């Protein structure tokens, strides 16, 4: 049984050689390899990876340019491999590699085994190490939430430490969202049937080098993954987020309009223009940090992005009014014509700004 140990690594220069050493000492035989997936780290990881993979035929790496994401990195590592079993492990030594041999042996002992999961919440010894109380709480809450739609019981579905048989990977890979951090959950949800799993308790260690890439918005990506699995068949979750961002903009618009027109006594039209501009800027920022988080514009891209967004929404407003007017003139009730116009405008804004503001523009500006 040939095994690939897939190790996603982003800015893990100091940890990479340590992981290789540990695995070399630990794993018997030579029926295994290590595949690092590096998302173009800025800390010199690449030089370390090049050196190690020249010295050691067991080590290879994939370098992805212009892309980020733990889950998709793991998927691409697996896709690049010819192994029978893939094990996924963090690069920062937080996962206790000493349970790995037992995890891999389980696949040989039980030919029907599909998944082996390192769990922080089962048996003795399991635990979250030195996590803060709030992080433990969030992690447990997220675990419960996920269980609503899972078909396979797992004590630690958020675990990033697991091994999967190739057959299960092939069955699920095209259904996975590949977004965010929670690849194990993505696999289990995408399988949509009970899986044959074994869990292996371990204690989560404290990170020694480098820093964690998990921030609060990653928690949001997790909700996104769940929503996508539940509703994604009907409406793209992104479009829903876009509409929600739009509604928040509408509230802000009314607040600004009220403040300027009623309190500051600006003329209505001036106040309406100011409110519209405020709402556009706010919608842009909200969409940029939530709806399009994966392609978020930063630094010098923000202003051109905002201008393009405002232009597109301006055209959207014209499209909106034109469609509504057309319907209204054809004896459609005013409220239906108005709502249909708004929907057409929203779909336009969504579709065009997705393509232009968050896809085409960053590509063009980055090239220069
Ligand atoms: N290639 C790549 N691209 N690797 C990444 C990226 C990325 O965008 N983001 C993170 N990684 C790598 C890190 O270098 C590390 O090896 C591993 O993924 C985990 O990232 P951490 O930033 O250390 O995450 P954590 O310690 O907070 O999260 C751990 O606990 C979660 C359990 O709640 C990880 O084990 C997760 O996999 C696990 O789900
Ligand atoms: Mn970590």
């Amino acid at each position: 049984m040939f095994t690939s140990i897939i190790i996603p690594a982003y800015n893990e220069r100091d940890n990479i050689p340590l992981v290789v050493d540990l695995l070399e000492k630990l794993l018997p035989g030579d029926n295994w390899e290590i595949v690092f997936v590096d998302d173009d780290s800025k800390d010199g990881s690449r030089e370390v990876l090049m050196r190690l993979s020249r010295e050691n035929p067991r080590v290879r790496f994939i370098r992805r340019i212009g892309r980020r994401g733990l889950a998709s990195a793991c998927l691409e590592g697996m896709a690049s491999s010819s192994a029978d079993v893939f094990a996924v492990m963090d690069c920062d030594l937080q996962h206790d590699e000493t349970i790995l041999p037992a995890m891999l042996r389980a696949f040989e002992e039980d030919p029907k085994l599909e998944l082996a999961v390192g769990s922080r919440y089962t048996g003795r010894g399991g635990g979250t190490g030195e996590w803060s109380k709030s992080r433990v709480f969030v992690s447990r809450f997220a675990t419960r939430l996920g269980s609503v739609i899972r078909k396979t019981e797992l004590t630690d579905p958020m675990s990033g430490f697991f091994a999967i048989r190739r057959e299960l990977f092939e069955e699920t890979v095209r259904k996975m969202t590949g977004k965010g951090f929670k690849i194990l959950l993505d696999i289990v949800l995408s399988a949509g049937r009970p899986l044959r799993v074994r869990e292996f308790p371990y204690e989560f260690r404290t990170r020694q080098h480098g820093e964690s890439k998990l921030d609060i918005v990653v928690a949001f990506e997790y909700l996104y993954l769940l929503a996508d699995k539940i509703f994604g068949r009907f409406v793209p979750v992104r479009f829903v987020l876009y509409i929600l961002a739009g509604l928040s903009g509408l509230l802000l618009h009314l607040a600004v309009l009220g403040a300027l027109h009623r309190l500051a006594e600006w003329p209505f039209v001036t106040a309406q223009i100011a409110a519209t501009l405020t709402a556009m800027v706010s919608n842009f920022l909200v969409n940029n940090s939530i709806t399009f988080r994966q392609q978020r514009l930063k630094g010098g891209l923000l202003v051109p992005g905002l201008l393009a967004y405002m232009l597109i929404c301006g055209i959207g407003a014209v499209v909106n009014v034109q469609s509504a007017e057309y319907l209204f003139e054809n004896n459609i009730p005013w409220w239906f014509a108005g709502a249909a116009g708004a929907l057409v405008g929203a779909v336009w804004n969504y579709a065009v700004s997705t393509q232009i503001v968050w896809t085409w523009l960053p590509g063009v500006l980055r090239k220069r």
Side-chain angles (χ1 to χ4, degrees), residues 7-12 37-39 64 68-70 73 89-92 94-95 120 131 135 139 158-161 181-182 204 207 211-214:
I7 307 190
Y10 187 69
N11 293 340
E12 303 282 5
V37 187
D38 167 37
D39 284 351
R64 306 196 303 170
R68 276 290 309 274
L70 176 53
M89 195 174 93
D90 286 356
C91 193
D92 56 6
Q94 290 194 280
H95 291 158
R120 293 161 292 172
W131 266 11
R135 171 111 199 230
S139 176
M158 308 299 132
S159 175
F161 188 17
F181 256 57
K182 302 308 168 198
F204 203 62
R207 188 187 253 279
E211 52 188 39
S212 171
K213 284 93 207 171
L214 202 138

Side-chain angles (χ1 to χ4, degrees), residues 226-287:
L226 290 187
D228 191 54
K229 284 290 168 209
I230 303 174
F231 309 113
R233 266 168 290 160
F234 313 111
V235 194
V237 175
R238 246 198 194 165
F239 183 64
V240 176
L241 291 175
Y242 193 84
I243 294 291
L244 290 178
L247 290 178
S248 80
L250 179 65
L251 292 181
L252 180 68
H253 180 115
L254 292 177
V256 172
L257 179 63
L260 293 179
H261 180 56
R262 303 302 301 258
L263 300 178
E265 298 186 347
W266 288 26
F268 179 78
V269 174
T270 325
Q272 171 75 356
I273 291 173
T276 306
L277 292 176
T278 315
M280 273 185 173
V281 174
S282 148
N283 281 0
F284 171 75
L285 293 175
V286 171
N287 279 318

Side-chain angles (χ1 to χ4, degrees), residues 161-323:
F161 188 17
F162 62 91
I164 170 178
R165 204 186 280 280
R166 164 176 293 282
E167 284 75 8
L168 179 57
F169 170 74
E170 302 292 353
E171 177 184 329
T172 49
V173 61
R174 290 188 181 75
K175 296 184 212 150
M176 285 191 231
T177 68
K179 299 206 179 92
F181 256 57
K182 302 308 168 198
I183 182 174
L184 177 63
L185 191 70
D186 204 354
I187 292 172
V188 170
L189 294 180
S190 303
R193 63 177 175 85
L195 299 174
R196 192 169 173 104
V197 183
R198 255 186 77 183
E199 299 190 309
F200 297 80
Y202 79 99
E203 171 120 20
F204 203 62
R205 293 192 201 123
T206 309
R207 188 187 253 279
Q208 308 291 348
H209 303 280
E211 52 188 39
S212 171
K213 284 93 207 171
L214 202 138
D215 58 14
I216 185 68
V217 199
V218 168
F220 176 84
E221 283 182 347
Y222 171 67
L223 293 179
Y224 186 101
L225 173 75
L226 290 187
D228 191 54
K229 284 290 168 209
I230 303 174
F231 309 113
R233 266 168 290 160
F234 313 111
V235 194
V237 175
R238 246 198 194 165
F239 183 64
V240 176
L241 291 175
Y242 193 84
I243 294 291
L244 290 178
L247 290 178
S248 80
L250 179 65
L251 292 181
L252 180 68
H253 180 115
L254 292 177
V256 172
L257 179 63
L260 293 179
H261 180 56
R262 303 302 301 258
L263 300 178
E265 298 186 347
W266 288 26
F268 179 78
V269 174
T270 325
Q272 171 75 356
I273 291 173
T276 306
L277 292 176
T278 315
M280 273 185 173
V281 174
S282 148
N283 281 0
F284 171 75
L285 293 175
V286 171
N287 279 318
N288 191 46
S289 50
I290 298 181
T291 320
F292 296 99
R293 174 177 154 71
Q294 276 121 7
Q295 298 114 282
R296 203 165 15 158
L297 306 179
K298 287 183 206 146
L301 290 178
L302 269 174
V303 170
L306 174 64
L307 293 178
Y309 181 78
M310 291 173 87
L311 186 69
I312 289 163
C313 292
I315 300 173
V318 175
V319 176
N320 163 352
V321 172
Q322 295 275 316
S323 337

Side-chain angles (χ1 to χ4, degrees), residues 54 65 67 105 168 224 294:
R54 280 188 197 169
I65 311 282
R67 271 182 304 155
R105 228 180 301 122
L168 179 57
Y224 186 101
Q294 276 121 7

